Amino acid sequence: MLQSPGEPAPHSRKYLVRDRIFGIGDDYWIEDEHGRRAFLVDGKALRLRETFELKDPERRVLITIRKKMLSLRDTMTIERDDRPLDTIKRKRLSLLRNHYRVELVDGTELDVSGKILDREFAVEYEGELLADISRRWLTVRDTYAVSVVREDADPALLIAVAVCVIRLAERERGED
């Protein structure tokens, strides 16, 4: 969850993500709160699995997200350097809030809970807030903000986690 050694921490800690990432066939930029290009979303079309890559401004792949189209239980994987980094799956059901568990390969678990479909939720580690996802203060349509709270957290990974839980919640609801 922490920054990789030698990886510079981004200047900004809030990122604007376009909704329906998997529905967009084109590449597009995730910008920071100052309008600077922070991450490039590179959608991969015509695969057996939904796939997209999150790249840095120099177009180096930071994160790959994969979702198998046919699986018994909805699970998404996040990879770094072609190796699994974590898996995301539904944790439990409640009427008002959704809960997802992010299991990192090192055994660390993150909890994602809130109103996922409303884009109002949080990512936590052992009760400590890592990122807040919200569209509450935004005027741009079909966009939500990923605010990275903890200084040593990996923004690319937290953006990928947000995208994955939204996609899983939409699939559960039948919004393909």
Side-chain angles (χ1 to χ4, degrees), residues 6-162:
E7 185 178 317
H11 299 293
S12 177
R13 305 304 287 173
K14 184 181 282 186
Y15 304 90
L16 302 179
V17 181
R18 200 185 289 174
D19 231 341
R20 304 263 182 215
I21 252 179
F22 283 101
I24 299 168
D26 302 326
D27 298 348
Y28 77 92
W29 287 96
I30 292 174
E31 297 178 343
D32 68 15
E33 61 192 309
H34 304 291
R36 294 182 300 239
R37 292 178 168 182
F39 302 102
L40 176 66
V41 175
D42 184 358
K44 303 295 181 185
L46 303 173
R47 298 229 177 150
L48 292 177
R49 303 186 282 182
E50 295 176 30
T51 302
F52 86 81
E53 294 173 336
L54 196 58
K55 299 179 177 181
D56 67 12
E58 288 77 39
R59 299 180 185 257
R60 293 179 298 233
V61 176
L62 301 173
I63 299 280
T64 302
I65 295 178
R66 299 184 196 278
K67 164 70 176 90
K68 290 184 182 179
M69 296 300 277
L70 301 171
S71 62
L72 293 176
R73 181 175 173 155
D74 270 349
T75 301
M76 297 189 87
T77 61
I78 297 174
E79 299 173 359
R80 180 171 278 146
D81 300 324
D82 294 321
R83 291 185 306 246
L85 184 60
D86 64 39
T87 58
I88 301 171
K89 46 185 128 170
R90 177 81 170 204
K91 188 173 180 181
R92 58 185 177 262
L93 178 66
S94 76
L95 293 176
L96 300 176
R97 297 172 67 84
N98 299 104
H99 295 270
Y100 289 83
R101 179 176 41 238
V102 179
E103 297 174 357
L104 280 75
V105 292
D106 68 2
T108 304
E109 287 190 5
L110 306 179
D111 185 54
V112 181
S113 64
K115 296 180 179 179
I116 307 295
L117 294 172
D118 291 337
R119 308 320 187 246
E120 299 293 335
F121 59 96
V123 181
E124 298 179 334
Y125 170 66
E126 293 185 348
E128 181 183 351
L129 183 64
L130 297 177
D132 181 44
I133 291 75
S134 178
R135 63 166 45 141
R136 185 174 31 242
W137 305 108
L138 297 177
T139 57
V140 180
R141 272 188 87 166
D142 299 328
T143 301
Y144 58 92
V146 176
S147 299
V148 179
V149 176
R150 203 167 126 169
E151 190 65 31
D152 61 350
D154 180 346
L157 177 59
L158 291 169
I159 290 168
V161 166

